[in-house]
Amino acid sequence: MWDNTYLLTELPSKAETEEEVEFIRDVLELRRGAIVLDLCCGNGRHGQMLADQNVTVIGLDSSRFLLDEARKDILSTEYGIHFIEGDMRHIPLKSSCDAVINLFSSFGFFGEDGNRQVLSEVAAVLKPGGKFLVEYWNPHAVVDLDRSRNWWWISESMLALAEVEYHPESGCISDYRTVIKLSSGTIQKAVNRLRFYFPTELKSMLDDAALKVCATYGDFDYSPFLIDARRMITIAER
């Protein structure tokens, strides 16, 4: 259910995605022919734009539904886009990528050991000197989401509810989703749990994976990371 409603409720606009892609190309210094792994690529909204700018993109996601949606939108380019269904803790690529990107709060799903394994896999995928970009919400602001509730219409006959709980002892949030289909009278429920790491915590984990932090930003407009920043965007190098 989470995959099916993701495309209808979660995506930024095309203009926002274009801004993100421009930022990614710049800070990662992507040259013509670079190979980029889009880790947790979803429906591949960044992939086509990167491919159009002479980058080869490999998108990996565990959701077959979202990958099928991504394939529908592929346009032929010189460098191309390739999609793999798989687990980010077991990436079937070694020392082959110039960069890895992980966007839209897609890191922190697996508990401490699993999250560290993801970073080790990222390091193994990168060529020497390759860069890793990981972006998610500002962890200082996540506590403000505790007990928040948000209703919205997915369509004229589909209503959604998001309820968030923050767990300070673990630094995790539980994001509960309820989708009500008025046309059929059915209710679907799902929950997503995500660990948010503070900068020093993430730096320590990246260090342990032999990835050196070289920059941290507060948004895709190159603003510095401050306690009230919208996002935390971390750049690390192998």
Side-chain angles (χ1 to χ4, degrees), residues 194-232:
L194 190 64
R195 166 76 153 94
F196 284 87
Y197 293 96
F198 289 94
T200 52
E201 295 176 308
L202 184 58
K203 180 181 182 299
S204 176
M205 295 172 71
L206 289 164
D207 284 342
D208 290 344
L211 295 166
K212 181 182 179 181
V213 173
C214 48
T216 306
Y217 299 92
D219 212 333
F220 290 105
D221 60 1
Y222 301 89
S223 57
F225 177 73
L226 302 172
I227 196 168
D228 60 348
R230 183 181 178 189
R231 297 181 168 98
M232 185 172 79

mmCIF file of all heavy atoms in Angstrom, residues 194-232:
data_model
loop_
_atom_site.group_PDB
_atom_site.id
_atom_site.type_symbol
_atom_site.label_atom_id
_atom_site.label_comp_id
_atom_site.label_asym_id
_atom_site.label_seq_id
_atom_site.Cartn_x
_atom_site.Cartn_y
_atom_site.Cartn_z
ATOM 1 N N LEU A 194 11.790 5.242 10.831
ATOM 2 C CA LEU A 194 13.010 5.817 10.289
ATOM 3 C C LEU A 194 13.838 6.430 11.403
ATOM 4 O O LEU A 194 13.315 7.152 12.254
ATOM 5 C CB LEU A 194 12.637 6.895 9.255
ATOM 6 C CG LEU A 194 13.742 7.462 8.392
ATOM 7 C CD1 LEU A 194 14.324 6.364 7.498
ATOM 8 C CD2 LEU A 194 13.177 8.586 7.509
ATOM 9 N N ARG A 195 15.130 6.123 11.394
ATOM 10 C CA ARG A 195 16.081 6.657 12.386
ATOM 11 C C ARG A 195 16.748 7.897 11.812
ATOM 12 O O ARG A 195 17.237 7.876 10.680
ATOM 13 C CB ARG A 195 17.129 5.590 12.704
ATOM 14 C CG ARG A 195 18.361 6.095 13.459
ATOM 15 C CD ARG A 195 18.050 6.343 14.920
ATOM 16 N NE ARG A 195 19.226 6.204 15.753
ATOM 17 C CZ ARG A 195 20.030 7.214 16.112
ATOM 18 N NH1 ARG A 195 19.777 8.446 15.703
ATOM 19 N NH2 ARG A 195 21.076 6.994 16.887
ATOM 20 N N PHE A 196 16.754 8.985 12.572
ATOM 21 C CA PHE A 196 17.412 10.211 12.150
ATOM 22 C C PHE A 196 18.691 10.413 12.958
ATOM 23 O O PHE A 196 18.648 10.463 14.185
ATOM 24 C CB PHE A 196 16.475 11.412 12.315
ATOM 25 C CG PHE A 196 15.428 11.480 11.253
ATOM 26 C CD1 PHE A 196 14.226 10.806 11.410
ATOM 27 C CD2 PHE A 196 15.657 12.166 10.080
ATOM 28 C CE1 PHE A 196 13.257 10.849 10.425
ATOM 29 C CE2 PHE A 196 14.699 12.209 9.079
ATOM 30 C CZ PHE A 196 13.497 11.551 9.244
ATOM 31 N N TYR A 197 19.803 10.520 12.259
ATOM 32 C CA TYR A 197 21.106 10.691 12.902
ATOM 33 C C TYR A 197 21.508 12.157 12.911
ATOM 34 O O TYR A 197 21.360 12.863 11.907
ATOM 35 C CB TYR A 197 22.168 9.884 12.161
ATOM 36 C CG TYR A 197 21.983 8.391 12.269
ATOM 37 C CD1 TYR A 197 21.317 7.680 11.272
ATOM 38 C CD2 TYR A 197 22.473 7.696 13.367
ATOM 39 C CE1 TYR A 197 21.142 6.305 11.373
ATOM 40 C CE2 TYR A 197 22.297 6.317 13.476
ATOM 41 C CZ TYR A 197 21.636 5.632 12.478
ATOM 42 O OH TYR A 197 21.448 4.278 12.588
ATOM 43 N N PHE A 198 22.056 12.605 14.026
ATOM 44 C CA PHE A 198 22.595 13.950 14.106
ATOM 45 C C PHE A 198 23.943 13.991 13.387
ATOM 46 O O PHE A 198 24.555 12.942 13.142
ATOM 47 C CB PHE A 198 22.723 14.381 15.562
ATOM 48 C CG PHE A 198 21.394 14.647 16.206
ATOM 49 C CD1 PHE A 198 20.736 13.660 16.932
ATOM 50 C CD2 PHE A 198 20.784 15.890 16.067
ATOM 51 C CE1 PHE A 198 19.497 13.900 17.503
ATOM 52 C CE2 PHE A 198 19.544 16.146 16.642
ATOM 53 C CZ PHE A 198 18.903 15.151 17.354
ATOM 54 N N PRO A 199 24.422 15.175 13.014
ATOM 55 C CA PRO A 199 25.640 15.256 12.200
ATOM 56 C C PRO A 199 26.835 14.496 12.762
ATOM 57 O O PRO A 199 27.545 13.803 12.016
ATOM 58 C CB PRO A 199 25.918 16.764 12.139
ATOM 59 C CG PRO A 199 24.580 17.398 12.288
ATOM 60 C CD PRO A 199 23.822 16.511 13.235
ATOM 61 N N THR A 200 27.072 14.611 14.067
ATOM 62 C CA THR A 200 28.227 13.912 14.650
ATOM 63 C C THR A 200 28.046 12.396 14.588
ATOM 64 O O THR A 200 29.010 11.656 14.391
ATOM 65 C CB THR A 200 28.449 14.349 16.100
ATOM 66 O OG1 THR A 200 27.211 14.215 16.828
ATOM 67 C CG2 THR A 200 28.907 15.795 16.165
ATOM 68 N N GLU A 201 26.796 11.933 14.767
ATOM 69 C CA GLU A 201 26.525 10.496 14.692
ATOM 70 C C GLU A 201 26.752 9.974 13.275
ATOM 71 O O GLU A 201 27.390 8.932 13.076
ATOM 72 C CB GLU A 201 25.082 10.205 15.107
ATOM 73 C CG GLU A 201 24.761 10.509 16.552
ATOM 74 C CD GLU A 201 23.288 10.294 16.853
ATOM 75 O OE1 GLU A 201 22.439 10.841 16.131
ATOM 76 O OE2 GLU A 201 22.994 9.565 17.826
ATOM 77 N N LEU A 202 26.225 10.704 12.295
ATOM 78 C CA LEU A 202 26.378 10.273 10.906
ATOM 79 C C LEU A 202 27.836 10.324 10.487
ATOM 80 O O LEU A 202 28.327 9.414 9.806
ATOM 81 C CB LEU A 202 25.524 11.155 9.988
ATOM 82 C CG LEU A 202 25.509 10.763 8.516
ATOM 83 C CD1 LEU A 202 25.003 9.330 8.324
ATOM 84 C CD2 LEU A 202 24.644 11.730 7.710
ATOM 85 N N LYS A 203 28.563 11.357 10.899
ATOM 86 C CA LYS A 203 29.983 11.451 10.559
ATOM 87 C C LYS A 203 30.758 10.264 11.113
ATOM 88 O O LYS A 203 31.623 9.686 10.434
ATOM 89 C CB LYS A 203 30.575 12.754 11.102
ATOM 90 C CG LYS A 203 32.067 12.920 10.774
ATOM 91 C CD LYS A 203 32.621 14.203 11.352
ATOM 92 C CE LYS A 203 34.086 14.362 10.962
ATOM 93 N NZ LYS A 203 34.943 13.246 11.470
ATOM 94 N N SER A 204 30.461 9.870 12.352
ATOM 95 C CA SER A 204 31.145 8.725 12.956
ATOM 96 C C SER A 204 30.870 7.448 12.165
ATOM 97 O O SER A 204 31.789 6.648 11.913
ATOM 98 C CB SER A 204 30.684 8.553 14.405
ATOM 99 O OG SER A 204 31.260 7.412 14.993
ATOM 100 N N MET A 205 29.634 7.252 11.745
ATOM 101 C CA MET A 205 29.284 6.063 10.966
ATOM 102 C C MET A 205 29.958 6.087 9.598
ATOM 103 O O MET A 205 30.443 5.054 9.115
ATOM 104 C CB MET A 205 27.769 5.981 10.808
ATOM 105 C CG MET A 205 27.018 5.759 12.104
ATOM 106 S SD MET A 205 25.227 5.897 11.895
ATOM 107 C CE MET A 205 24.879 4.401 10.961
ATOM 108 N N LEU A 206 29.995 7.253 8.980
ATOM 109 C CA LEU A 206 30.662 7.366 7.681
ATOM 110 C C LEU A 206 32.160 7.125 7.824
ATOM 111 O O LEU A 206 32.779 6.458 6.981
ATOM 112 C CB LEU A 206 30.391 8.741 7.081
ATOM 113 C CG LEU A 206 28.952 8.975 6.596
ATOM 114 C CD1 LEU A 206 28.682 10.461 6.377
ATOM 115 C CD2 LEU A 206 28.683 8.194 5.313
ATOM 116 N N ASP A 207 32.764 7.657 8.883
ATOM 117 C CA ASP A 207 34.183 7.409 9.139
ATOM 118 C C ASP A 207 34.467 5.918 9.248
ATOM 119 O O ASP A 207 35.452 5.398 8.694
ATOM 120 C CB ASP A 207 34.630 8.101 10.430
ATOM 121 C CG ASP A 207 34.803 9.601 10.287
ATOM 122 O OD1 ASP A 207 34.914 10.079 9.134
ATOM 123 O OD2 ASP A 207 34.824 10.292 11.323
ATOM 124 N N ASP A 208 33.599 5.209 9.964
ATOM 125 C CA ASP A 208 33.779 3.767 10.148
ATOM 126 C C ASP A 208 33.665 3.013 8.827
ATOM 127 O O ASP A 208 34.218 1.920 8.685
ATOM 128 C CB ASP A 208 32.740 3.227 11.140
ATOM 129 C CG ASP A 208 32.997 3.684 12.564
ATOM 130 O OD1 ASP A 208 34.102 4.160 12.852
ATOM 131 O OD2 ASP A 208 32.069 3.578 13.395
ATOM 132 N N ALA A 209 32.946 3.590 7.875
ATOM 133 C CA ALA A 209 32.804 2.969 6.549
ATOM 134 C C ALA A 209 33.855 3.475 5.569
ATOM 135 O O ALA A 209 33.768 3.210 4.362
ATOM 136 C CB ALA A 209 31.404 3.254 5.996
ATOM 137 N N ALA A 210 34.852 4.208 6.082
ATOM 138 C CA ALA A 210 35.921 4.778 5.256
ATOM 139 C C ALA A 210 35.390 5.801 4.256
ATOM 140 O O ALA A 210 35.851 5.895 3.119
ATOM 141 C CB ALA A 210 36.701 3.679 4.529
ATOM 142 N N LEU A 211 34.408 6.581 4.691
ATOM 143 C CA LEU A 211 33.853 7.681 3.904
ATOM 144 C C LEU A 211 34.060 8.973 4.683
ATOM 145 O O LEU A 211 33.578 9.103 5.810
ATOM 146 C CB LEU A 211 32.367 7.448 3.626
ATOM 147 C CG LEU A 211 32.031 6.245 2.741
ATOM 148 C CD1 LEU A 211 30.538 5.927 2.817
ATOM 149 C CD2 LEU A 211 32.438 6.509 1.296
ATOM 150 N N LYS A 212 34.778 9.914 4.097
ATOM 151 C CA LYS A 212 35.144 11.146 4.782
ATOM 152 C C LYS A 212 34.178 12.271 4.429
ATOM 153 O O LYS A 212 33.997 12.610 3.263
ATOM 154 C CB LYS A 212 36.559 11.560 4.395
ATOM 155 C CG LYS A 212 37.041 12.834 5.075
ATOM 156 C CD LYS A 212 38.439 13.206 4.618
ATOM 157 C CE LYS A 212 38.893 14.517 5.291
ATOM 158 N NZ LYS A 212 40.258 14.904 4.822
ATOM 159 N N VAL A 213 33.548 12.861 5.455
ATOM 160 C CA VAL A 213 32.627 13.973 5.223
ATOM 161 C C VAL A 213 33.413 15.183 4.724
ATOM 162 O O VAL A 213 34.410 15.590 5.335
ATOM 163 C CB VAL A 213 31.861 14.333 6.509
ATOM 164 C CG1 VAL A 213 31.034 15.610 6.303
ATOM 165 C CG2 VAL A 213 30.953 13.187 6.931
ATOM 166 N N CYS A 214 32.966 15.757 3.610
ATOM 167 C CA CYS A 214 33.645 16.932 3.066
ATOM 168 C C CYS A 214 32.759 18.169 3.022
ATOM 169 O O CYS A 214 33.263 19.280 2.812
ATOM 170 C CB CYS A 214 34.235 16.638 1.691
ATOM 171 S SG CYS A 214 33.160 15.820 0.517
ATOM 172 N N ALA A 215 31.449 18.012 3.216
ATOM 173 C CA ALA A 215 30.557 19.175 3.238
ATOM 174 C C ALA A 215 29.201 18.772 3.805
ATOM 175 O O ALA A 215 28.786 17.615 3.683
ATOM 176 C CB ALA A 215 30.384 19.764 1.841
ATOM 177 N N THR A 216 28.512 19.744 4.420
ATOM 178 C CA THR A 216 27.143 19.550 4.900
ATOM 179 C C THR A 216 26.346 20.814 4.570
ATOM 180 O O THR A 216 26.809 21.922 4.845
ATOM 181 C CB THR A 216 27.093 19.286 6.412
ATOM 182 O OG1 THR A 216 27.952 18.198 6.742
ATOM 183 C CG2 THR A 216 25.683 18.927 6.858
ATOM 184 N N TYR A 217 25.170 20.634 3.997
ATOM 185 C CA TYR A 217 24.319 21.759 3.603
ATOM 186 C C TYR A 217 22.960 21.651 4.296
ATOM 187 O O TYR A 217 22.536 20.576 4.695
ATOM 188 C CB TYR A 217 24.107 21.773 2.091
ATOM 189 C CG TYR A 217 25.373 21.926 1.290
ATOM 190 C CD1 TYR A 217 26.089 20.809 0.845
ATOM 191 C CD2 TYR A 217 25.871 23.188 0.962
ATOM 192 C CE1 TYR A 217 27.253 20.952 0.109
ATOM 193 C CE2 TYR A 217 27.028 23.346 0.219
ATOM 194 C CZ TYR A 217 27.725 22.215 -0.210
ATOM 195 O OH TYR A 217 28.878 22.357 -0.941
ATOM 196 N N GLY A 218 22.267 22.800 4.325
ATOM 197 C CA GLY A 218 20.946 22.839 4.933
ATOM 198 C C GLY A 218 19.814 22.745 3.941
ATOM 199 O O GLY A 218 18.659 22.591 4.329
ATOM 200 N N ASP A 219 20.138 22.828 2.642
ATOM 201 C CA ASP A 219 19.117 22.693 1.608
ATOM 202 C C ASP A 219 19.811 22.657 0.252
ATOM 203 O O ASP A 219 21.030 22.831 0.143
ATOM 204 C CB ASP A 219 18.105 23.828 1.665
ATOM 205 C CG ASP A 219 16.707 23.390 1.215
ATOM 206 O OD1 ASP A 219 16.615 22.444 0.406
ATOM 207 O OD2 ASP A 219 15.713 23.987 1.682
ATOM 208 N N PHE A 220 19.003 22.464 -0.799
ATOM 209 C CA PHE A 220 19.549 22.387 -2.150
ATOM 210 C C PHE A 220 19.900 23.760 -2.720
ATOM 211 O O PHE A 220 20.334 23.863 -3.867
ATOM 212 C CB PHE A 220 18.556 21.675 -3.075
ATOM 213 C CG PHE A 220 18.424 20.215 -2.781
ATOM 214 C CD1 PHE A 220 17.296 19.728 -2.130
ATOM 215 C CD2 PHE A 220 19.417 19.316 -3.133
ATOM 216 C CE1 PHE A 220 17.167 18.369 -1.847
ATOM 217 C CE2 PHE A 220 19.297 17.965 -2.859
ATOM 218 C CZ PHE A 220 18.173 17.484 -2.222
ATOM 219 N N ASP A 221 19.734 24.811 -1.931
ATOM 220 C CA ASP A 221 20.127 26.152 -2.361
ATOM 221 C C ASP A 221 21.523 26.514 -1.853
ATOM 222 O O ASP A 221 21.909 27.684 -1.878
ATOM 223 C CB ASP A 221 19.102 27.188 -1.893
ATOM 224 C CG ASP A 221 18.962 27.220 -0.369
ATOM 225 O OD1 ASP A 221 19.662 26.468 0.335
ATOM 226 O OD2 ASP A 221 18.114 28.005 0.117
ATOM 227 N N TYR A 222 22.272 25.514 -1.361
ATOM 228 C CA TYR A 222 23.648 25.662 -0.869
ATOM 229 C C TYR A 222 23.705 26.369 0.485
ATOM 230 O O TYR A 222 24.792 26.740 0.941
ATOM 231 C CB TYR A 222 24.537 26.422 -1.874
ATOM 232 C CG TYR A 222 24.638 25.777 -3.228
ATOM 233 C CD1 TYR A 222 23.712 26.082 -4.222
ATOM 234 C CD2 TYR A 222 25.647 24.863 -3.529
ATOM 235 C CE1 TYR A 222 23.786 25.504 -5.472
ATOM 236 C CE2 TYR A 222 25.740 24.279 -4.780
ATOM 237 C CZ TYR A 222 24.804 24.597 -5.753
ATOM 238 O OH TYR A 222 24.879 24.015 -6.998
ATOM 239 N N SER A 223 22.591 26.567 1.138
ATOM 240 C CA SER A 223 22.607 27.213 2.447
ATOM 241 C C SER A 223 23.333 26.327 3.451
ATOM 242 O O SER A 223 23.334 25.097 3.335
ATOM 243 C CB SER A 223 21.177 27.496 2.924
ATOM 244 O OG SER A 223 20.416 26.305 2.963
ATOM 245 N N PRO A 224 23.966 26.924 4.461
ATOM 246 C CA PRO A 224 24.700 26.125 5.444
ATOM 247 C C PRO A 224 23.750 25.325 6.328
ATOM 248 O O PRO A 224 22.580 25.689 6.496
ATOM 249 C CB PRO A 224 25.454 27.186 6.253
ATOM 250 C CG PRO A 224 24.620 28.417 6.117
ATOM 251 C CD PRO A 224 24.055 28.380 4.731
ATOM 252 N N PHE A 225 24.269 24.241 6.888
ATOM 253 C CA PHE A 225 23.453 23.455 7.805
ATOM 254 C C PHE A 225 23.461 24.129 9.163
ATOM 255 O O PHE A 225 24.496 24.245 9.818
ATOM 256 C CB PHE A 225 23.974 22.028 7.929
ATOM 257 C CG PHE A 225 23.186 21.219 8.933
ATOM 258 C CD1 PHE A 225 21.904 20.781 8.642
ATOM 259 C CD2 PHE A 225 23.720 20.931 10.181
ATOM 260 C CE1 PHE A 225 21.159 20.061 9.562
ATOM 261 C CE2 PHE A 225 22.990 20.211 11.118
ATOM 262 C CZ PHE A 225 21.706 19.778 10.803
ATOM 263 N N LEU A 226 22.292 24.585 9.591
ATOM 264 C CA LEU A 226 22.101 25.200 10.895
ATOM 265 C C LEU A 226 20.979 24.460 11.618
ATOM 266 O O LEU A 226 20.266 23.651 11.022
ATOM 267 C CB LEU A 226 21.740 26.678 10.744
ATOM 268 C CG LEU A 226 22.759 27.542 9.979
ATOM 269 C CD1 LEU A 226 22.194 28.928 9.733
ATOM 270 C CD2 LEU A 226 24.080 27.621 10.734
ATOM 271 N N ILE A 227 20.804 24.764 12.893
ATOM 272 C CA ILE A 227 19.825 24.023 13.687
ATOM 273 C C ILE A 227 18.407 24.190 13.151
ATOM 274 O O ILE A 227 17.556 23.315 13.330
ATOM 275 C CB ILE A 227 19.910 24.437 15.174
ATOM 276 C CG1 ILE A 227 19.187 23.409 16.055
ATOM 277 C CG2 ILE A 227 19.359 25.847 15.377
ATOM 278 C CD1 ILE A 227 19.467 23.566 17.528
ATOM 279 N N ASP A 228 18.138 25.316 12.467
ATOM 280 C CA ASP A 228 16.803 25.542 11.921
ATOM 281 C C ASP A 228 16.732 25.291 10.421
ATOM 282 O O ASP A 228 15.773 25.698 9.764
ATOM 283 C CB ASP A 228 16.330 26.957 12.240
ATOM 284 C CG ASP A 228 17.246 28.032 11.654
ATOM 285 O OD1 ASP A 228 18.353 27.682 11.206
ATOM 286 O OD2 ASP A 228 16.850 29.216 11.659
ATOM 287 N N ALA A 229 17.728 24.625 9.875
ATOM 288 C CA ALA A 229 17.725 24.323 8.437
ATOM 289 C C ALA A 229 16.577 23.387 8.089
ATOM 290 O O ALA A 229 16.093 22.622 8.925
ATOM 291 C CB ALA A 229 19.049 23.695 8.032
ATOM 292 N N ARG A 230 16.172 23.433 6.826
ATOM 293 C CA ARG A 230 15.081 22.574 6.382
ATOM 294 C C ARG A 230 15.528 21.120 6.262
ATOM 295 O O ARG A 230 14.793 20.199 6.595
ATOM 296 C CB ARG A 230 14.568 23.072 5.031
ATOM 297 C CG ARG A 230 13.372 22.302 4.482
ATOM 298 C CD ARG A 230 12.956 22.857 3.135
ATOM 299 N NE ARG A 230 11.842 22.103 2.577
ATOM 300 C CZ ARG A 230 11.397 22.254 1.340
ATOM 301 N NH1 ARG A 230 11.983 23.120 0.530
ATOM 302 N NH2 ARG A 230 10.384 21.545 0.903
ATOM 303 N N ARG A 231 16.734 20.925 5.759
ATOM 304 C CA ARG A 231 17.250 19.581 5.505
ATOM 305 C C ARG A 231 18.653 19.426 6.082
ATOM 306 O O ARG A 231 19.273 20.400 6.533
ATOM 307 C CB ARG A 231 17.328 19.311 3.988
ATOM 308 C CG ARG A 231 16.014 19.326 3.254
ATOM 309 C CD ARG A 231 16.255 19.026 1.775
ATOM 310 N NE ARG A 231 15.020 18.752 1.060
ATOM 311 C CZ ARG A 231 14.356 19.641 0.338
ATOM 312 N NH1 ARG A 231 14.799 20.879 0.244
ATOM 313 N NH2 ARG A 231 13.248 19.303 -0.296
ATOM 314 N N MET A 232 19.174 18.199 6.024
ATOM 315 C CA MET A 232 20.584 17.941 6.267
ATOM 316 C C MET A 232 21.106 17.146 5.065
ATOM 317 O O MET A 232 20.690 16.006 4.841
ATOM 318 C CB MET A 232 20.814 17.152 7.560
ATOM 319 C CG MET A 232 22.300 16.975 7.874
ATOM 320 S SD MET A 232 22.604 16.239 9.501
ATOM 321 C CE MET A 232 22.299 14.498 9.150
#
